[in-house]
Amino acid sequence: ENHGVPMRDVAPLRPQRPILFVHAAYHNASCWVNILLYCASQGINAFAMSLRQHDQKFKSKHSKGGARFHSLADYRKDVEKVVNYLITVRRFQPPVLVGHSFGGVVLLNYISHAQNEISLPQLILVACIKPSIRWFIRLMFRIYGVLGWSGLLLCMKSKTLLASPSIFSSLLLDGTGYSSKDNTAENEARIVESIWKHEVANGTWSPFALFEAMIHGVGFENGKEIIASVFTIWPENDLFVTEIDKANMHSWLGIGMDRDSEKYTLNSGTSHDVMLHPSWPKFAYSLLSIAAPFLQPSASSQK
């Protein structure tokens, strides 16, 4: 634990620039374990952090007052602590940042405040949208279409949107998944339940931070370039993201037709929680292909 911020890391003793992963709501650092191990197998320094109160294994001073009232600024400060730790204590260069869903929103807020103090090389946003009231309303209708009124009400009443393994699978794993010739539906259900218990069953987060982002924004102007390289990755079958949301996000980030190469869609039945989906190796390979040019050590780090 780093200054009250839980972390997971797989860091070979090499001079390359690291990657820092930030999870989505109701998740924690351990959701990146497959990706961290893949990075290690490629000799890449990889770290994942848990935003305050998302990782129930850690008892933090930030837990006082309840997660439902943490602000976007609170989460931004968690990222700031970890980035500063990597640079000042671990002596790495500023990391490539990867944010999944709401974790991407947190990173955008962090970058908007840190851009004048630190030169961050690249931001990769995975299934991340521009928070807005219209997006939220569209999402509620889509969740209703999948779960019906009873499922939607169960989610609203639960402390977590993902109130059961079946809801978790339907919303974030596209209801698919770990089935194969050697894997029965019963085994698949056990796998999904295990992931649900480990990742989201006891996790909490702050809806206040999301509504704050929807109403007040995350801290930078529409279309203003705040970092040299911004790349978006879109899972193919994502209940949380529509083509409208993608277009709004690209416009917001200033990614137009001239930067079309910085928009990437994953196929092969990928879903919102792509790092937990059976197709995660394709995601890991694509992610490192995108980040590779920014991970090489600078001349000064090799002296």
Side-chain angles (χ1 to χ4, degrees):
E1 187 171 3
N2 165 53
H3 305 294
V5 180
M7 291 178 59
R8 305 284 186 272
D9 73 86
V10 179
L13 297 177
R14 298 188 181 188
Q16 283 91 345
R17 187 188 300 276
I19 303 177
L20 175 62
F21 295 92
V22 180
H23 60 81
Y26 301 117
H27 294 62
N28 58 61
S30 61
C31 73
W32 297 104
V33 62
N34 289 328
I35 312 302
L36 291 175
L37 293 174
Y38 181 82
C39 288
S41 74
Q42 304 301 307
I44 293 171
N45 302 301
F47 299 82
M49 60 171 289
S50 290
L51 298 172
R52 61 185 68 191
Q53 252 193 336
H54 281 69
D55 195 330
Q56 295 299 303
K57 301 179 186 67
F58 292 84
K59 300 297 182 181
S60 168
K61 62 181 180 181
H62 300 308
S63 298
K64 297 177 181 178
R68 293 185 181 274
F69 299 101
H70 289 319
S71 68
L72 196 57
D74 291 329
Y75 293 141
R76 180 186 79 231
K77 291 173 183 175
D78 291 342
V79 176
E80 181 180 11
K81 286 181 179 179
V82 174
V83 171
N84 289 342
Y85 166 79
L86 292 177
I87 295 172
T88 61
V89 178
R90 299 294 293 267
R91 300 297 181 182
F92 285 114
Q93 298 176 66
V96 167
L97 300 175
V98 179
H100 175 237
S101 194
F102 184 70
V105 174
V106 173
L107 287 179
L108 286 165
N109 184 252
Y110 164 70
I111 290 172
S112 71
H113 286 78
Q115 60 180 321
N116 295 324
E117 301 175 5
I118 182 174
S119 179
L120 294 159
Q122 185 182 50
L123 172 64
I124 300 175
L125 300 171
V126 183
C128 177
I129 53 83
K130 178 183 180 181
S132 69
I133 298 297
R134 290 184 178 181
W135 163 78
F136 185 77
I137 293 173
R138 289 196 299 268
L139 176 61
M140 290 300 103
F141 275 109
R142 293 198 297 276
I143 291 177
Y144 163 72
V146 174
L147 303 180
W149 282 115
S150 59
L152 181 59
L153 290 175
L154 177 61
C155 292
M156 299 294 284
K157 289 191 297 183
S158 173
K159 71 174 183 177
T160 170
L161 174 69
L162 311 170
S164 69
S166 61
I167 289 176
F168 167 59
S169 178
S170 297
L171 297 185
L172 298 189
L173 297 178
D174 196 38
T176 62
Y178 293 82
S179 296
S180 68
K181 293 180 180 179
D182 301 319
N183 201 20
T184 65
E186 183 179 353
N187 286 338
E188 178 180 337
R190 282 200 292 264
I191 294 170
V192 171
E193 182 177 8
S194 176
I195 296 173
W196 176 79
K197 285 182 177 179
H198 185 62
E199 292 298 331
V200 302
N202 297 313
T204 58
W205 78 297
S206 174
F208 175 81
L210 175 61
F211 284 104
E212 179 187 11
M214 288 194 294
I215 296 170
H216 299 295
V218 302
F220 67 92
E221 299 173 13
N222 190 45
K224 179 182 178 182
E225 186 173 292
I226 59 172
I227 189 170
S229 174
V230 180
F231 213 109
T232 57
I233 296 180
W234 304 107
E236 183 183 38
N237 301 319
D238 191 343
L239 181 72
F240 284 66
V241 180
T242 66
E243 292 302 317
I244 294 175
D245 300 321
K246 294 178 186 178
N248 289 342
M249 189 66 174
H250 293 150
S251 175
W252 189 38
L253 298 173
I255 300 177
M257 293 301 293
D258 59 327
R259 297 174 66 185
D260 190 64
S261 62
E262 299 191 13
K263 296 177 284 187
Y264 190 91
T265 299
L266 288 169
N267 298 312
S268 303
T270 50
S271 64
H272 187 75
D273 267 11
V274 64
M275 73 290 296
L276 296 173
H277 192 272
S279 61
W280 71 262
K282 176 180 175 63
F283 166 63
Y285 177 81
S286 301
L287 177 72
L288 292 193
S289 297
I290 293 166
F294 298 87
L295 298 178
Q296 298 305 314
S298 64
S300 61
S301 69
Q302 299 181 62
K303 293 179 180 179

